[in-house]
């Protein structure tokens, strides 16, 4: 069944690090999307950070606790990184002020209260590298060839959002936090 969009609005930014958009659907659910305008061609660090945003905040230091809180309230979460931005999504089962308040609190936590625990970084590095291995194949080679053909002078074909193995291997909690403080700011 196709979800019919009934309302779309921009919400006030938390900490001025992101743009949030709330989509309300006719069936009663909502999607809260947070768009961070972060260029991802810095060897995959933006993509690695995408994974870290759900893995520990000041209020929810245990990654499982953050996930449990989302699912407890009937929501789901996901994210993706493109060349130009990273988008975080919370899907809500119904439109009500209390649930929206909860969703905004969770996005605020993810946008401004990350912990970057080294054990979480080490675990997620394996996930990101596994994702990289899984995507290798004809489709990826074709994309790289197309990007090289259409953008011969650009970095796009050499630096896909998923990243470079060497950069991902070298990433630490401190280096990810430094990137986050440098790139997830209002001036960007």
């Amino acid at each position: 069944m196709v979800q019919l969009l009934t309302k779309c609005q921009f919400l006030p930014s938390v900490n001025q690090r992101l743009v949030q958009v709330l989509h309300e659907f006719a069936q009663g659910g909502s999607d809260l999307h947070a768009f961070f305008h972060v260029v991802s061609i810095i060897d995959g660090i933006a993509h690695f950070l995408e994974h870290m945003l759900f893995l520990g905040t000041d209020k929810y230091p245990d990654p499982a606790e953050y996930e449990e809180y989302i699912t407890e309230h009937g929501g789901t979460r996901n994210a993706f990184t493109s060349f130009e931005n990273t988008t975080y999504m919370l899907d809500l089962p119904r439109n009500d002020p209390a649930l929206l308040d909860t969703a905004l609190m969770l996005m605020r936590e993810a946008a401004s209260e990350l912990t970057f625990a080294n054990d979480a970084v080490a675990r997620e590095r394996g996930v990101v590298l596994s994702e990289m291995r899984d995507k290798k194949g004809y489709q990826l080679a074709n994309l790289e060839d197309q990007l090289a053909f259409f953008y011969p002078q650009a970095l796009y074909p050499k630096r896909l959002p998923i990243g470079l193995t060497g950069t991902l291997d070298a990433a630490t909690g401190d280096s990810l936090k430094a990137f986050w403080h440098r790139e997830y700011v209002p001036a960007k």
Side-chain angles (χ1 to χ4, degrees), residues 5 21 27 51-52 72 74 93 104 117 121 127 152 154 163 166 177-178:
L5 183 66
V21 181
Q27 295 94 325
H51 283 250
M52 295 304 300
E72 230 173 64
L104 288 171
V121 171
V127 172
K177 190 172 194 171

Side-chain angles (χ1 to χ4, degrees), residues 44-166:
I45 297 300
H47 176 244
F48 199 148
L49 189 60
E50 166 206 318
H51 283 250
M52 295 304 300
L53 254 72
F54 298 115
L55 295 178
T57 67
D58 288 345
K59 188 170 184 170
Y60 301 98
D62 178 5
E65 190 178 14
Y66 186 89
E67 182 68 25
E68 285 168 15
Y69 194 84
I70 292 170
T71 55
E72 230 173 64
H73 289 82
T76 60
R77 57 114 180 121
N78 206 345
F80 66 88
T81 300
S82 67
F83 287 111
E84 302 296 329
N85 63 57
T86 301
T87 301
Y88 300 90
M89 301 163 285
L90 282 178
D91 296 329
L92 311 172
R94 63 190 177 281
N95 295 327
D96 72 56
L99 192 56
L100 178 58
D101 189 53
T102 298
L104 288 171
M105 179 275 298
L106 291 170
M107 285 292 196
R108 182 196 57 77
E109 281 287 310
S112 63
E113 309 300 326
L114 296 180
T115 57
F116 296 101
N118 282 322
D119 59 331
V121 171
R123 271 192 320 274
E124 205 60 25
R125 177 185 348 275
V127 172
V128 174
L129 291 171
S130 175
E131 184 180 332
M132 182 185 287
R133 283 188 302 274
D134 289 347
K135 291 189 181 211
K136 288 197 178 188
Y138 166 75
Q139 288 179 322
L140 180 62
N142 188 43
L143 173 64
E144 290 171 332
D145 289 346
Q146 288 177 358
L147 290 170
F149 179 78
F150 289 114
Y151 308 104
Q153 303 302 316
L155 291 175
Y156 292 132
K158 296 178 186 87
R159 295 194 183 161
L160 297 176
I162 196 143
L164 301 174
T165 305

Side-chain angles (χ1 to χ4, degrees), residues 9-14 18-22 32-34 104 107:
Q9 67 188 60
F10 287 90
L11 301 174
S13 179
V14 292
L18 63 113
V19 174
Q20 297 179 101
V21 181
L22 176 66
L32 179 62
H33 291 196
L104 288 171
M107 285 292 196

